[in-house]
């Protein structure tokens, strides 16, 4: 392998493409920028990157704040008649309002009991949340009000106090059961989404069982006391949700169950009404259950934005590109530097390949062989041989031969290639 002082290597080895358009031989290199200038450029790039990052964070924060502000007035919780998201009940409340039914939202058992009366429907959205004291208050209102009470999906935990004589019969597998009873509200509504929740069983006289699933009703209507009121047990709250109100006969059934009286008291039990001994503790809830309604979508949007930003800023592996250097480097210096690297790596095969490939390309241009055939022995070797006037030589072995066995053979190869090119050039 030739060293930096070997005259043959710089002549026969072509410079890398990245440096072919640089200053010609003999020109003085441009002065290297002062260290202070490089530091200033580095600081400028760093400041630009920080500004871009801060801008992205500001845009994301503004989007989150705007989303929270737009939704803050309409998100009040699950089954809330003021909530317009898919799991609220604003739609049924609006339909009831058009039918002349006034809806009042209360959050304590005492408020619900005080508002109950013969011209009132009391809707308890989560009976199982109530503590023993609150269940007693609601039971007294059921017996004395003379109106209608609708209990949504009560389990055995609350049925003992709120509706004695009724037991649960497991989960309902039928999603859209048929009415299966003579209740006018059910027969006019037809199939509804009362399945997917609980089923009930009772032996109380006068009970009307509707929407059976595997023989057990998902809706029970029970007469209550001597005052003429009744109690409705609905195994699933699906018919009241905004997202499913328009399905099947849900809207008709909901309006008839909740609109039979001119006043509707919508009882959303608060934490203050929960029984500390029976209510689920905060330790039993998952992280997602503790996130307020609406924020899960904001977190999902942030996650998607973070993934997109990571993909945008991630390092991509692709083809090598030519970069502008801060200074001009002469071709001979680049050739010597590459030769030193080949010598240090003992890469005679790579060095010989580069020497031969560069010589073939230059010879092809001299003898009129197309550039696409410059590395084809059948096209290049005869054309080069025709230009030689001296003693016969094996042009094919010289231009397409094997790898030199040692550094001396590599130097000899460079000399022969250089001599061949000179002879063709001067012929």
């Amino acid at each position: 392998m030739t060293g930096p002082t070997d005259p043959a290597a710089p002549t026969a080895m072509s410079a890398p493409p990245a440096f072919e358009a640089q200053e010609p031989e003999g020109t003085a290199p441009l002065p290297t920028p002062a260290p202070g200038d490089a530091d200033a450029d580095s600081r400028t790039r760093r400041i630009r990157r920080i500004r871009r990052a801060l801008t992205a964070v500001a845009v994301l924060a503004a989007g989150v704040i705007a989303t929270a502000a737009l939704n803050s007035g309409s998100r009040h919780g699950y089954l809330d008649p003021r909530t317009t998201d898919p799991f609220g009940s604003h739609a049924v409340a609006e339909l009831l309002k058009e039918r002349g039914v006034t809806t009042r939202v209360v959050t304590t058992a005492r408020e619900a009991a005080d508002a109950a009366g013969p011209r009132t429907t009391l809707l308890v959205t989560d009976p199982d949340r109530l503590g023993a004291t609150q269940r007693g208050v609601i039971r007294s209102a059921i017996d004395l009000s003379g109106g209608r009470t609708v209990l949504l999906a009560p389990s055995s935990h609350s049925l003992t106090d709120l509706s004695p004589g009724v037991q649960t019969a497991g989960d309902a597998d039928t999603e859209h059961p048929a009415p299966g009873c003579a209740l006018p509200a059910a027969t006019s509504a037809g199939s509804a989404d009362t399945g997917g929740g609980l089923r009930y069983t009772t032996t109380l006289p006068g009970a009307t069982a509707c929407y059976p699933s595997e023989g057990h009703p998902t809706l029970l209507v029970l007469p209550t006391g001597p005052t003429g009121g009744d109690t409705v047990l609905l195994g699933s709250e699906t018919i009241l949700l905004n997202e499913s109100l328009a399905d099947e006969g849900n809207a008709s059934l909901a309006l008839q169950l909740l609109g039979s009286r001119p006043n509707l008291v919508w009882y959303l039990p608060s934490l203050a009404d929960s029984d500390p001994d029976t209510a689920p503790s905060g330790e039993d809830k998952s992280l997602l259950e503790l996130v307020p309604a609406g924020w899960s979508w904001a977190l999902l949007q942030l996650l998607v934005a973070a993934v997109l930003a990571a993909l945008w800023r991630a390092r991509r592996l692709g083809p090598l590109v030519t970069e502008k250097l801060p200074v001009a480097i002469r071709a001979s210096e680049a050739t010597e530097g590459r030769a030193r690297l080949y010598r240090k790596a003992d890469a005679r095969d790579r060095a010989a390949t580069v020497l031969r490939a560069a010589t073939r390309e230059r010879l092809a241009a001299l003898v009129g062989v197309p550039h696409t055939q410059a590395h084809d022995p059948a096209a290049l070797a005869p054309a080069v041989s025709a230009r030689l006037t001296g003693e016969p030589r094996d042009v094919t072995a010289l231009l397409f031969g094997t790898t030199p066995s040692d550094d001396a053979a590599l130097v000899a190869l460079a000399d022969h290639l250089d001599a061949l090119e000179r002879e063709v050039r001067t012929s």
Side-chain angles (χ1 to χ4, degrees):
M1 184 70 185
T2 180
T5 58
D6 190 348
T11 304
M13 184 182 296
S14 65
F19 302 104
E20 288 179 352
Q22 302 297 336
E23 295 293 331
E25 291 285 348
T27 59
L30 297 177
T32 304
D37 296 339
D39 293 342
D41 292 342
S42 177
R43 286 195 298 270
T44 301
R45 289 193 296 268
R46 189 181 303 110
I47 291 174
R48 288 176 180 173
R49 287 195 296 267
I50 294 175
R51 286 178 178 175
R52 286 195 294 265
L54 292 178
T55 301
V57 172
V59 171
L60 290 176
V64 172
I65 293 174
T67 302
L70 291 174
N71 295 331
S72 60
S74 60
R75 294 183 180 271
H76 298 274
Y78 188 72
L79 284 173
D80 194 311
R82 300 162 295 185
T83 301
T84 57
D85 63 19
F87 299 103
S89 299
H90 181 72
V92 67
E94 285 296 311
L95 293 177
L96 288 170
K97 181 179 179 181
E98 294 177 0
R99 295 166 63 97
V101 178
T102 302
T103 301
R104 175 187 174 187
V105 178
V106 298
T107 57
T108 65
R110 179 51 56 190
E111 288 179 320
D114 292 343
R119 295 171 54 83
T120 300
T121 298
L122 173 60
L123 171 64
V124 184
T125 59
D126 193 357
D128 291 344
R129 180 186 286 254
L130 303 180
T133 302
Q134 287 72 27
R135 291 195 298 269
V137 172
I138 296 299
R139 181 61 198 179
S140 298
I142 293 174
D143 293 336
L144 301 176
S145 66
R148 167 170 288 182
T149 303
V150 179
L151 304 177
L152 288 186
S155 69
S156 56
H157 173 71
S158 57
L159 283 175
T160 304
D161 295 329
L162 297 179
S163 187
V166 179
Q167 295 83 33
T168 59
D171 296 331
D173 296 330
T174 307
E175 294 184 359
H176 313 296
C181 66
L183 184 69
T187 56
S188 62
S191 298
D193 289 330
T194 60
L198 295 174
R199 300 178 301 165
Y200 300 102
T201 179
T202 184
T203 57
L204 295 176
T208 303
C210 299
Y211 295 100
S213 174
E214 297 183 359
H216 295 284
T218 57
L219 186 149
L220 273 179
V221 180
L222 306 171
T224 305
T227 55
D230 59 9
T231 301
V232 178
L233 275 65
L234 188 59
S236 174
E237 68 277 9
T238 305
I239 66 170
L240 301 182
L241 299 178
N242 293 331
E243 66 174 0
S244 55
L245 185 64
D247 299 340
E248 301 292 333
N250 295 348
S252 176
L253 182 61
L255 292 178
Q256 293 183 80
L257 293 180
L258 301 182
S260 61
R261 272 78 172 173
N263 299 311
L264 172 63
V265 177
W266 201 294
Y267 177 27
L268 298 170
S270 62
L271 293 177
D273 280 355
S274 301
D275 190 342
D277 297 331
T278 58
S281 64
E283 297 179 354
D284 295 332
K285 293 185 178 180
S286 64
L287 178 61
L288 294 178
E289 292 175 341
L290 296 175
V291 177
W295 280 100
S296 56
W297 289 106
L299 294 177
L300 179 60
Q301 293 174 11
L302 287 176
L303 177 61
V304 172
V307 172
L308 293 178
L311 294 176
W312 170 52
R313 299 296 298 173
R315 182 182 298 275
R316 298 176 179 87
L317 299 178
L320 296 178
V321 295
T322 302
E323 297 182 359
K324 293 184 177 181
L325 299 178
V327 294
I329 301 176
R330 291 183 293 181
S332 61
E333 295 179 359
T335 303
E336 292 177 1
R338 179 176 289 186
R340 292 191 189 99
L341 292 176
Y342 287 157
R343 182 177 185 181
K344 183 177 181 180
D346 198 21
R348 284 187 296 272
D349 54 345
R350 177 62 178 164
T353 301
V354 172
L355 288 173
R356 283 170 167 154
T359 302
R360 290 195 297 265
E361 292 176 357
R362 290 193 294 269
L363 288 175
L366 293 175
V367 299
V369 174
H371 180 73
T372 56
Q373 299 179 354
H375 304 289
D376 184 5
L380 182 63
V384 173
S385 299
R387 300 286 293 272
L388 301 179
T389 58
E391 58 184 16
R393 275 167 289 177
D394 190 355
V395 177
T396 302
L398 183 59
L399 294 176
F400 301 94
T402 59
T403 302
S405 58
D406 52 23
D407 289 349
L410 181 61
V411 173
L413 173 64
D415 293 338
H416 292 316
L417 291 174
D418 186 49
L420 177 64
E421 184 178 347
R422 282 199 304 269
E423 185 174 352
V424 172
R425 193 180 296 275
T426 57
S427 62

